Amino acid sequence: MCGIVGYVGKEKALPRILSGLKFLEYRGYDSAGVAYVKENKIKIVKEAGRISALEASLNKEENTYLGIGHTRWATHGVPNKINSHPHKSGKFTVVHNGIIENYMELKDMLIEKGIEFKTDTDTEVIPALLNYNYEQEKDIIKVINKTIKMLKGSFALGIICDDDLDSIYATRYDSPLIIAHQKNGYFIASDVPAILNYTNKYLLLDNLEIAKINVNNLIVFNSNLQKINKEELTFVGTSDDAMLNGYEHYMLKEIHEEAKVFKDTFNYYVLENQFKETMPNLKDYHDIHIVACGSAYYVGYIAKYLIEKYASIPVLVEVASEYRYKKNFYTKDTLVIIISQSGETADSLAALRQVKEDGIDTMAIVNVVESSIAREAKYTLYVKAGPEIAVATTKAFLAQTTLLALLTVKLSKNNELLKEFKGIDKNIEELLSRDYLKYAKEIYNHNDAFFIGRNIDYALCLEGSLKLKETSYINAVSFQAGELKHGTISLISENTPVIAINTLDSIRNKTISNIKEVKARGANVLYITNENVRDNFYNNIILIPKVADIVSPILTVIPLQLIAYEVAKLRNCDIDKPRNLAKSVTVE
Ligand code: G6P
């Protein structure tokens, strides 16, 4: 949700800022802007649209050595030039990621003092308040400290003050911000990929810490304004992990990394059919709640079926934005699992904090190392997906599914099940090598599509239909196969695409009956299964390898992802940056 990059150093700032912003475009991409210092003055350039539009309006070779940039996902105010960041008021120029919840209150207070506002954003209140406080006390650090304590909501901020054009100031509360040092200067950024072209060493600002950064020096203050030392972290990986490397789209590249992602995740937790100490020993939980958003929520659904089947522990799965505002019932032996690729999703983070306050054990399943959710949960289990750039998640979904299957084995106390994971990477590779275009051609010129399945296959339907919706804007809807006849079957007409998933022996024939019901009403059925039967109830079939139920969803999701990709391509959609979406949703 919005990306921030700043640079101060001996090298030219604009190429560094633009290169960083391009890596952060997945956080928002409806407008962009930079503020930089030239001949002792602040210059601000902003454009609606993608970073490429901003790049076209800038002279990258400008002799500027200090600047802050922003790519926006609009929350308050339409994505036009005036609402784009940076925002300047008086002597303060600011880029912001997050939402200021009390901005109306603050704005009214400042308007009463005669301060004028130009935009519809919540952000503009920040430079205005900084400037107002600065008029009372001319100490930039103290003013930032005072101002951020008056803000409610979430923020990561890059700040420049006209009275100190040699420094960038940075601070945060509940929105991520890192600082990186390279031999000739410093960066601030919302996320590590932004700096990987230059360095893989960084430090993480904690809530309400304030950094003052200039060409030779970085000073970090805590919220009592004492100077503190921060631990330097190293990102394992290279900028190649965040590059296209010859693929046409990040989504395709990331799907093709899935065999590796599976192996990396499995090998991180298991050696010779035994769990390593990276998998924590857990007490006997009476019940489990899984809380997440978007695709991570659907992984939760898969996990529910696996954990209930193999470990006989009841599992409740909830969307985080609902869970945090409802009455939840715990026992002292409830475990709450939060699943999040980014580890920064605002609703998931808020749910985690609430559960912790209630004294319940929490576990985070996270991809981004040292993210807020990773740092705050009692147990943190990392998936080994590496940086995921495409907005629609694919490899992280597969890694999360792998890890939840491993956690199921742990909870079931039946390590024999680990043998079922053997050879799955080869199955993944084989599935990736197939051509899915012919199936996509049957779907792409329809406005609606239906996914049906039972049990764990239904969970996969949810993810398959979400992939299609987000990447190709087809209204793809999922139903439990047995429930169709209770209403939804009225939507099936001649040639309606129906993707039917049927991988479980125990209910195979039941689902086949439901497929026949839609076929009889004219549906064009794509049948995804692991065991063919001699009967004519589908138009096309994808036969996936037959493996144990515990690992089967890891394979089933691959055709669904690649079909969504091919359909989006046939419809000329912006595959890696679908309209209206952002990858890391750090607002409620
Ligand atoms: C956004 C993304 C989804 C993602 C969801 C949860 O909506 O577009 O792809 O599944 O957030 O994100 P998280 O980082 O918590 O997994």
Side-chain angles (χ1 to χ4, degrees):
M1 208 95 308
C2 301
I4 291 175
V5 182
Y7 175 79
V8 50
K10 293 183 182 146
E11 313 287 342
K12 288 188 177 166
L14 292 182
R16 283 165 175 70
I17 293 170
L18 286 167
S19 137
L21 286 178
K22 282 183 194 157
F23 281 114
L24 296 185
E25 242 185 335
Y26 67 83
R27 301 178 70 87
Y29 34 85
D30 54 41
S31 50
V34 290
Y36 57 92
V37 175
K38 174 109 196 277
E39 287 152 8
N40 246 3
K41 282 205 181 64
I42 290 268
K43 286 198 76 171
I44 298 180
V45 182
K46 323 199 233 192
E47 286 301 335
R50 297 284 162 87
I51 313 264
S52 48
L54 174 68
E55 194 167 21
S57 316
L58 281 168
N59 168 15
K60 281 211 282 184
E61 293 313 313
E62 193 92 83
N63 284 323
T64 172
Y65 302 89
L66 184 150
I68 49 178
H70 188 267
T71 177
R72 178 169 186 243
W73 187 86
T75 60
H76 296 59
V78 296
N80 59 15
K81 201 163 166 166
I82 183 134
N83 287 332
S84 348
H85 302 212
H87 293 291
K88 187 168 197 304
S89 183
K91 294 190 168 194
F92 285 84
T93 307
V94 166
V95 286
H96 168 219
N97 167 24
I99 283 187
I100 305 305
E101 287 166 2
N102 60 338
Y103 85 102
M104 281 307 289
E105 221 172 293
L106 293 168
K107 197 166 171 175
D108 287 348
M109 184 272 280
L110 292 163
I111 288 172
E112 231 169 71
K113 311 268 180 210
I115 292 157
E116 283 179 15
F117 286 83
K118 297 184 230 86
T119 76
D120 302 321
T121 65
D122 55 330
T123 300
E124 196 183 1
V125 85
I126 305 172
L129 191 59
L130 283 165
N131 197 59
Y132 174 74
N133 288 333
Y134 189 65
E135 280 164 9
Q136 334 291 318
E137 178 173 26
K138 298 257 182 265
D139 180 321
I140 299 173
I141 290 286
K142 281 190 186 159
V143 162
I144 293 174
N145 192 40
K146 178 174 174 187
T147 304
I148 58 179
K149 287 178 178 156
M150 296 168 76
L151 304 176
K152 292 205 176 96
S154 61
F155 50 85
L157 302 174
I159 304 167
I160 306 174
C161 175
D162 287 357
D163 287 346
D164 179 10
L165 291 178
D166 294 330
S167 304
I168 295 175
Y169 294 82
T171 185
R172 69 168 281 232
Y173 185 81
D174 276 3
S175 289
L177 200 69
I178 62 160
I179 300 174
H181 181 222
Q182 191 215 3
K183 69 178 182 333
N184 285 331
Y186 288 92
F187 290 88
I188 62 166
S190 304
D191 200 356
V192 176
I195 49 124
L196 280 182
N197 265 345
Y198 302 98
T199 175
N200 64 352
K201 302 259 187 256
Y202 65 100
L203 59 88
L204 208 59
L205 271 193
D206 279 307
N207 276 347
L208 299 179
E209 288 176 353
I210 303 170
K212 176 181 169 156
I213 312 157
N214 59 37
V215 62
N216 301 314
N217 212 358
L218 161 71
I219 310 171
V220 182
F221 301 88
N222 66 16
S223 60
N224 298 321
L225 297 189
Q226 290 149 336
K227 289 186 188 173
I228 52 170
N229 290 321
K230 300 287 297 181
E231 181 198 354
E232 188 174 71
L233 305 167
T234 303
F235 177 81
V236 185
T238 65
S239 60
D240 264 14
D241 297 336
M243 300 277 203
L244 275 172
N245 294 340
Y247 283 93
E248 199 176 343
H249 298 99
Y250 281 106
M251 182 175 174
L252 189 63
K253 177 200 170 212
E254 287 161 4
I255 294 171
H256 279 273
E257 287 169 1
E258 289 183 331
K260 177 175 185 311
V261 160
F262 168 82
K263 272 193 285 184
D264 289 350
T265 303
F266 181 78
N267 292 335
Y268 186 69
Y269 292 100
V270 181
L271 181 66
E272 291 165 3
N273 286 326
Q274 295 300 323
F275 282 111
K276 300 185 193 170
E277 44 189 57
T278 41
M279 176 64 79
N281 285 321
L282 301 167
K283 71 176 191 189
D284 288 335
Y285 286 105
H286 169 268
D287 63 331
I288 293 175
H289 297 184
I290 300 182
V291 184
C293 302
S295 292
Y297 166 64
Y298 297 146
V299 175
Y301 244 95
I302 293 175
K304 172 184 167 69
Y305 288 116
L306 292 181
I307 295 170
E308 289 183 346
K309 174 179 167 138
Y310 289 99
S312 295
I313 302 173
V315 180
L316 174 88
V317 192
E318 285 276 0
V319 163
S321 55
E322 293 291 320
Y323 187 84
R324 59 184 290 200
Y325 293 118
K326 70 185 256 295
K327 186 171 164 80
N328 293 307
F329 297 91
Y330 307 112
T331 68
K332 64 176 181 6
D333 294 322
T334 302
L335 172 68
V336 178
I337 301 177
I338 310 281
I339 306 175
S340 174
Q341 185 283 127
S342 63
E344 299 292 350
T345 302
D347 285 313
S348 306
L349 179 59
L352 168 72
R353 287 181 178 162
Q354 195 173 307
V355 173
K356 275 177 72 180
E357 256 175 44
D358 291 337
I360 305 299
D361 279 3
T362 55
M363 174 184 281
I365 307 284
V366 180
N367 187 33
V368 177
V369 176
E370 292 292 328
S371 53
S372 301
I373 293 173
R375 294 198 300 160
E376 293 186 28
K378 173 168 178 172
Y379 302 103
T380 294
L381 273 64
Y382 284 112
V383 299
K384 296 287 165 184
E388 193 179 58
I389 306 294
V391 166
T393 177
T394 53
K395 63 173 179 170
F397 183 95
L398 186 131
Q400 288 161 345
T401 304
T402 304
L403 180 45
L404 265 307
L406 289 172
L407 183 66
T408 301
V409 178
K410 181 74 185 177
L411 292 166
S412 76
K413 299 180 182 158
N414 176 10
N415 280 8
E416 281 296 297
L417 285 167
L418 290 174
K419 292 189 181 140
E420 305 292 354
F421 290 72
K422 192 157 186 273
I424 294 297
D425 53 322
K426 295 280 170 287
N427 295 135
I428 295 174
E429 273 164 16
E430 188 275 317
L431 280 167
L432 291 174
S433 69
R434 297 190 200 174
D435 177 17
Y436 296 89
L437 182 59
K438 58 180 181 231
Y439 313 116
K441 283 185 179 158
E442 308 264 328
I443 300 171
Y444 86 102
N445 55 5
H446 290 263
N447 290 324
D448 304 288
F450 294 92
F451 285 68
I452 60 170
R454 289 168 181 251
N455 196 281
I456 207 159
D457 292 333
Y458 172 63
L460 287 151
C461 285
L462 291 169
E463 175 59 7
S465 59
L466 179 63
K467 279 295 86 78
L468 203 54
K469 274 189 282 244
E470 53 186 355
T471 58
S472 50
Y473 319 140
I474 289 178
N475 182 23
V477 188
S478 292
F479 288 99
Q480 293 99 334
E483 184 62 13
L484 262 189
K485 54 188 172 293
H486 298 294
T488 318
I489 201 159
S490 64
L491 296 171
I492 304 291
S493 60
E494 204 53 36
N495 265 332
T496 306
V498 173
I499 293 97
I501 307 179
N502 196 9
T503 65
L504 299 170
D505 289 336
S506 54
I507 43 171
R508 190 175 306 279
N509 288 333
K510 303 282 173 201
T511 303
I512 289 177
S513 301
N514 302 135
I515 301 171
K516 287 182 176 171
E517 289 157 12
V518 292
K519 185 80 181 104
R521 285 156 182 87
N524 180 352
V525 176
L526 170 59
Y527 185 46
I528 301 181
T529 187
N530 51 12
E531 193 175 293
N532 199 1
V533 291
R534 282 174 196 275
D535 207 346
N536 184 19
F537 56 88
Y538 53 79
N539 300 71
N540 283 293
I541 182 169
I542 297 179
L543 206 52
I544 59 173
K546 188 150 171 74
V547 294
D549 292 351
I550 186 112
V551 281
S552 183
I554 302 170
L555 301 183
T556 315
V557 74
I558 295 169
L560 303 177
Q561 295 171 340
L562 281 163
I563 289 169
Y565 173 80
E566 295 291 359
V567 172
K569 207 168 150 194
L570 287 170
R571 285 168 72 98
N572 281 324
C573 291
D574 195 343
I575 295 180
D576 287 333
K577 298 187 191 77
R579 71 179 175 217
N580 303 340
L581 295 180
K583 190 166 186 67
S584 180
V585 182
T586 53
V587 295
E588 260 195 68

